[in-house]
Amino acid sequence: MNEYLERWPGKSAKGRSSEHPAVYHMLDVAAVSERLLIQTSYSASFKAALTMLIAFHDLGKIGEGFRNMIRTGAVQPLRHWELTEVWLSGATWLRDRLGANPHVWRTLIAAVAGHHGRPPTRDERYFPNDRVAAGVDAVRDIPLILDDILALWPEASLVGLSRSEARQLSWWLSGLTVASDWVGSHPEWFPSVTRSMDLRRYLEQARGRAATAVAAAGLQVAGLKGDAPLFDFVLRPMQIAARDIPLPEGPTLAVIEDETGSGKTEAALILAQRMLAAGKGRGLYVALPTMATADAMFERAEEVMGRLFDGPSLTLAHGRAHLSGRFRDLVGRPTLSDDVTCSSWLADNRHRALLADVGVGTVDQALFSILPVRFSTLYLWGLSSKILIVDEAHEVAGDAYMVELLAALLRTHAAQGGSAILLTATLPLAQRATLIRAFAEGAGKDWPEDDDRSYPSLSIAGGATCRDFDRKPGPKGVVRVRRLSAASDAIDLLVASAARGAACVWIRNSVDEAIAAAEALRARGIPVSLLHARFVLSDRQRIEAQTLARFGKHGEGRAGHVLVATQVVESSLNLDFDVMVSDLAPMAALIQRAGRLWRYMTERPREHRAVPDPVLYVLSPAPDTVTDQRWLVPVLGRGAWVYPITDQWRTADLLFRVGEIPGPGDLRAMIEVVHSEARPVPAVLEAAEREWIGAGYGQGTLARHNVVDLSKGYRDGGAGAKDTVFPTRLGQPTRILVLARWENDALIPWAEAGGGDQMEAWMRSEVQASKRRLDRLPLPDQTAPAIKAAKAAWPVWRREIMTLCPVGEDGMICDGLRYDSASGLLF
């Protein structure tokens, strides 16, 4: 019997019946990784080597420092996972037995050692002293443990693995180790074992537990249901193309370009089904630009994924996923074998969301895989087996920083053997070329540049294309464009249109201007809804639900009602309006907005509309009256500064000359004139153009600096920074306020505590606003007794970064700031 087992605890008795030996825990984790490796195409000897390396992930628990920490609470002089690298670096006999050269060995042992979210960084010069400090018993037992575990996988071999291959593999291996360790540490799946048994017998038991644990965790890969059609409706042209286009061997990138409402999402899922069948992935991750778009897509995915997979796991992946009622209802729900499900384990930690068979979430979750943030390798490992679907790619690549990050993501995904699908309505050709080039680099391909201007288009990068689509306008016809020169004109138009029974919308560029417009319309007696990003979450969810119920595909009570909204309606909600007014915005944004005008023609044909034709009314000064850079301010107010002034001028110059947004065949030209083939701007705007170009270069440089360099390997290229240090997107700094109301002299959340969950109610009471504007105001003193009492149960990090704001009965928070549930946060 192995005498060292009881000397070295791996898990404390806290939360368990007793201590769990470190070596048994190492075998628990190895058994999980062995199970997860089944789906890979590696050779049996290489899988055995990886499994054994992962078993060694907690070798650093063999030492007096960790044992004292477990039993007495003493501080470890060296963190156990760094000691793992120390022990393995000295096991040159084991390295030689596995056939690894020193560079490969160092790279791989750092990957398994760095399973706490960041790589080990201990200087090798201290390794001899570290081994001595671990204690005499540890120095004696380590060779015995290594030899005994090696005997469990005698076929293990790393022969032939090159230095560059090891560096590439190290990122993936680290992620696999993290996932295996988290499952293998679950006390219900791997309970403490007090009766000593030999390692081979224990490993057999651990393998049985691992099979159960992997399934319970939701990591058992769901099988495909076959090639039966996913949808029972008559396919549209783009969906037929997705069904029929030839797919090449190896990593594949498809780009679907079509107008809003054309069925791109369904086309992407049809194409993804074929990619899965061709072995290009074992699951899906659908990445969207915002949490609102992700929530909407999640509902659609829940309906269709059960037709694609047998009993798939499905997660919602973004910072507020736990506040989605639809997602909460899915988690842990008893299901039939072929139902969509989500285990509590997957839902319990946001880092695990990409490990499900299907993930739907924000693009930020995928971008964490290529940034030097904590647990980035777990994101990378989860994503590596997925077909990545980037929806609304034009929004995801909304600035130079995001373009570079998305390009890096596609490059990395291709290098890991992954395939991807991009969906877009308005992606400029230059950005499309950048993204395709990045994917080609990752896949090791030299594809020719694709500068075809056809639209709509389905193209396989370096392969087949489908561009023979009907380019005539759809049932609603051409959207005419009319300029409004003042906000008062927009109000008069909306009042008259509502009186005729039209369902109307005014899309504004800034929240303050949206609030002002809604107040002006209400003063004219018009029923108005207001939707923007400066509501607490509970109010925003309520308003979004009401908006969908009124203006959605099957909306009711829409006649004569006006919605005033910001950009949140461009893509997050599938809405349909008879009359649309929009502040001037760049061409791509206006095309997106116009996609909500006369959207559902089957449900509301022309003869049932309150107006005879679809017209986009654009609030803008004349483009030939530019005298300075404040050209837009008299008309748009704060909304003048949301977008680059030069893009807005080019849009106005083209749009008001053409007088329409034409059929799909001509959309490409309109996008390119504004966003790629830059028409010269008036002389007074040239300085703004240079400033904007310079800012773009700076953003791109920052993004390239922030992205990890996979060629360095995880030890030298990885890090464990907080998400906020390396952001997934840039923007103006914001502060989070948490609103509260008074009840019996105590503060309670602004939102109702559904089900009695007070912490969730506090989260649903959050609202974000400009840090610059809030810092100027005398916000409530956070040391006040009532505020301190209300925040006492919050986690420390929430208490530090969030400001609790009591709201008076009149809505006042402080001088200069109040809140209204119908209008939002008011400065």
Side-chain angles (χ1 to χ4, degrees):
M1 199 62 63
N2 307 106
E3 296 180 359
Y4 52 70
L5 285 172
E6 295 182 3
R7 263 197 295 272
W8 307 112
K11 296 292 180 182
S12 72
K14 184 178 180 181
R16 291 172 172 267
S17 60
S18 62
E19 289 182 347
H20 190 50
V23 176
Y24 283 173
H25 168 67
M26 290 157 62
L27 295 183
D28 293 337
V29 174
V32 173
S33 68
E34 194 174 53
R35 193 80 189 174
L36 296 175
L37 281 164
I38 289 175
Q39 298 292 333
T40 66
S41 59
Y42 294 131
S43 68
S45 60
F46 192 67
K47 288 181 183 179
L50 296 182
T51 300
M52 187 174 63
L53 280 172
I54 291 174
F56 294 144
H57 77 290
D58 266 351
L59 195 64
K61 290 182 175 179
I62 311 302
E64 291 181 358
F66 183 81
R67 182 171 62 190
N68 292 340
M69 187 271 291
I70 284 282
R71 291 178 174 171
T72 68
V75 177
Q76 298 180 76
L78 179 65
R79 290 170 293 197
H80 73 273
W81 51 275
E82 291 188 306
L83 184 57
T84 291
E85 184 187 39
V86 172
W87 286 131
L88 289 173
S89 68
T92 55
W93 64 271
L94 178 60
R95 179 196 73 200
D96 294 341
R97 161 65 181 77
L98 294 173
N101 69 50
H103 297 295
V104 167
W105 185 246
R106 177 190 168 107
T107 299
L108 296 186
I109 63 175
V112 298
H115 62 279
H116 280 264
R118 55 188 182 272
T121 56
R122 187 75 170 169
D123 193 308
E124 288 187 51
R125 290 174 296 178
Y126 300 115
F127 284 5
N129 292 336
D130 293 336
R131 285 190 280 268
V132 171
V136 175
D137 289 345
V139 171
R140 181 189 65 244
D141 288 346
I142 283 292
L144 302 176
I145 293 170
L146 292 174
D147 198 49
D148 287 345
I149 292 179
L150 175 62
L152 300 175
W153 289 279
E155 73 278 23
S157 174
L158 296 171
V159 172
L161 188 66
S162 70
R163 184 176 183 177
S164 62
E165 290 170 336
R167 286 177 170 175
Q168 179 91 6
L169 176 67
S170 65
W171 302 88
W172 184 91
L173 179 60
S174 173
L176 172 60
T177 306
V178 173
S180 301
D181 182 49
W182 286 3
V183 175
S185 298
H186 199 293
E188 292 182 16
W189 299 333
F190 295 92
S192 298
V193 173
T194 55
R195 183 171 57 85
S196 295
M197 65 183 80
D198 68 78
L199 299 194
R200 188 170 300 278
R201 182 182 170 197
Y202 183 82
L203 178 59
E204 289 305 313
Q205 288 192 11
R207 283 170 169 156
R209 293 192 184 105
T212 301
V214 167
L219 301 184
Q220 189 75 45
V221 176
L224 289 175
K225 280 195 170 179
D227 57 359
L230 291 180
F231 307 105
D232 57 5
F233 51 73
V234 177
L235 298 184
R236 299 182 185 182
M238 184 60 74
Q239 296 156 0
I240 293 172
R243 182 194 66 190
D244 297 338
I245 193 169
L247 297 179
E249 297 293 327
T252 300
L253 173 65
V255 184
I256 299 175
E257 300 171 274
D258 206 348
E259 61 182 334
T260 301
S262 60
K264 293 188 296 293
T265 300
E266 291 79 7
L269 292 174
I270 291 169
L271 192 56
Q273 181 185 37
R274 296 180 57 215
M275 287 182 171
L276 291 166
K280 297 181 183 297
R282 300 191 301 274
L284 304 176
Y285 183 70
V286 186
L288 296 113
T290 66
M291 288 188 284
T293 51
D295 288 342
M297 182 63 72
F298 180 81
E299 294 189 14
R300 299 170 71 181
E302 189 178 1
E303 296 172 0
V304 75
M305 289 308 157
R307 302 178 215 146
L308 183 57
F309 297 98
D310 279 317
S313 54
L314 171 66
T315 55
L316 179 60
H318 60 65
R320 289 178 168 175
H322 58 288
L323 300 181
S324 165
R326 190 77 175 253
F327 181 49
R328 287 202 312 272
D329 290 345
L330 180 66
V331 175
R333 183 177 67 192
T335 62
L336 300 175
S337 60
D338 59 346
D339 283 346
V340 174
T341 187
C342 181
S343 69
S344 298
W345 186 87
L346 281 172
D348 185 52
N349 187 309
R350 67 183 180 89
H351 297 304
R352 300 171 185 165
L354 268 65
L355 308 187
D357 295 309
V358 181
V360 176
T362 57
V363 70
D364 308 75
Q365 303 300 312
L367 292 175
F368 286 142
S369 68
I370 49 101
L371 293 172
V373 298
R374 198 164 185 223
F375 294 114
S376 64
T377 60
L378 184 69
Y379 290 94
L380 184 143
W381 178 75
L383 195 61
S384 67
S385 63
K386 307 291 189 298
I387 293 168
L388 172 63
I389 301 176
V390 181
D391 201 356
E392 309 285 1
H394 48 274
E395 286 196 43
V396 170
D399 57 38
Y401 185 79
M402 291 290 285
V403 169
E404 288 294 335
L405 289 191
L406 182 56
L409 175 63
L410 291 172
R411 185 182 299 111
T412 300
H413 193 55
Q416 297 281 325
S419 292
I421 303 171
L422 305 181
L423 286 70
T424 179
T426 55
L427 187 69
L429 287 172
Q431 290 186 5
R432 186 182 76 176
T434 296
L435 300 179
I436 292 176
R437 193 181 309 119
F439 190 89
E441 291 170 1
K445 303 292 184 181
D446 185 20
W447 293 324
E449 292 285 340
D450 180 8
D451 57 358
D452 193 293
R453 301 170 68 91
S454 300
Y455 187 100
S457 171
L458 169 57
S459 55
I460 304 295
T465 60
C466 290
R467 287 165 175 154
D468 187 20
F469 294 100
D470 185 358
R471 293 177 171 81
K472 296 178 182 178
K476 72 180 179 183
V478 169
V479 175
R480 292 187 292 121
V481 175
R482 295 291 180 267
R483 186 175 70 85
L484 301 176
S485 58
S488 59
D489 296 336
I491 292 169
D492 289 342
L493 171 71
L494 292 168
V495 168
S497 299
R500 296 172 63 181
C504 308
V505 64
W506 186 356
I507 304 177
R508 309 231 59 183
N509 291 346
S510 80
V511 175
D512 288 336
E513 304 303 330
I515 293 171
E519 290 175 348
L521 286 165
R522 286 168 182 156
R524 298 280 294 270
I526 300 299
V528 176
S529 298
L530 180 62
L531 177 60
H532 55 70
R534 231 160 59 199
F535 284 100
V536 299
L537 182 60
S538 61
D539 286 338
R540 178 166 173 174
Q541 288 177 329
R542 170 181 55 79
I543 295 168
E544 285 183 352
Q546 292 171 347
T547 301
L548 275 171
R550 176 173 288 117
F551 299 110
K553 186 174 184 178
H554 303 290
E556 297 179 354
R558 60 200 299 276
H561 202 97
V562 178
L563 173 69
V564 179
T566 56
Q567 301 91 325
V568 295
V569 299
E570 278 183 27
S571 58
S572 61
L573 300 173
N574 291 329
L575 305 174
D576 178 16
F577 301 96
D578 301 321
V579 172
M580 176 177 290
V581 176
S582 173
D583 288 0
L584 179 65
M587 184 67 75
L590 286 182
I591 291 173
Q592 281 291 107
R593 295 176 186 187
R596 272 68 189 161
L597 181 63
W598 287 41
R599 181 182 180 99
Y600 295 115
M601 295 302 294
T602 300
E603 287 72 22
R604 300 182 189 91
R606 181 178 299 269
E607 59 271 19
H608 292 170
R609 299 278 176 173
V611 293
D613 297 293
V615 179
L616 174 64
Y617 296 92
V618 180
L619 180 61
S620 168
D624 56 359
T625 60
V626 183
T627 57
D628 57 36
Q629 292 187 24
R630 294 177 57 83
W631 165 63
L632 283 173
V633 175
V635 177
L636 298 187
R638 285 183 176 271
W641 308 111
V642 174
Y643 301 104
I645 187 71
T646 50
D647 284 359
Q648 289 176 289
W649 179 85
R650 289 190 176 100
T651 297
D653 176 65
L654 174 63
L655 198 59
F656 301 142
R657 279 190 290 107
V658 174
E660 64 183 27
I661 294 178
D666 298 312
L667 288 181
R668 173 85 75 198
M670 299 192 74
I671 295 167
E672 294 305 310
V673 167
V674 172
H675 295 281
S676 290
E677 301 162 358
R679 173 183 170 88
V681 297
V684 294
L685 298 183
E686 289 176 353
E689 176 107 283
R690 289 191 296 271
E691 183 179 343
W692 184 256
I693 291 173
Y697 284 135
Q699 291 176 0
T701 299
L702 177 62
R704 289 188 291 274
H705 171 76
N706 285 352
V707 169
V708 296
D709 184 352
L710 295 186
S711 67
K712 290 183 177 180
Y714 180 51
R715 192 187 202 280
D716 297 326
K722 294 182 178 179
D723 299 351
T724 53
V725 177
F726 295 94
T728 55
R729 57 184 82 194
L730 302 179
Q732 295 298 319
T734 60
R735 280 182 69 173
I736 301 176
L737 307 183
V738 184
L739 304 192
R741 64 178 89 232
W742 291 98
E743 183 179 274
N744 299 326
D745 297 325
L747 290 173
I748 63 171
W750 177 267
E752 297 292 334
D757 190 334
Q758 192 83 345
M759 196 66 243
E760 180 182 316
W762 284 121
M763 293 177 186
R764 285 164 49 81
S765 301
E766 297 173 8
V767 59
Q768 292 190 46
S770 164
K771 182 178 186 301
R772 177 181 56 83
R773 297 180 74 180
L774 289 173
D775 286 349
R776 297 172 179 172
L777 301 177
L779 293 174
D781 180 4
Q782 298 302 288
T783 65
I787 290 178
K788 289 182 67 176
K791 294 172 73 172
W794 293 10
V796 173
W797 67 270
R798 283 182 61 87
R799 294 201 298 268
E800 292 176 350
I801 69 171
M802 297 187 184
T803 305
L804 183 61
C805 295
V807 181
E809 291 185 4
D810 59 354
M812 289 299 296
I813 295 173
C814 66
D815 287 343
L817 191 68
R818 62 189 181 90
Y819 186 80
D820 179 83
S821 59
S823 297
L825 192 67
L826 303 168
F827 285 90

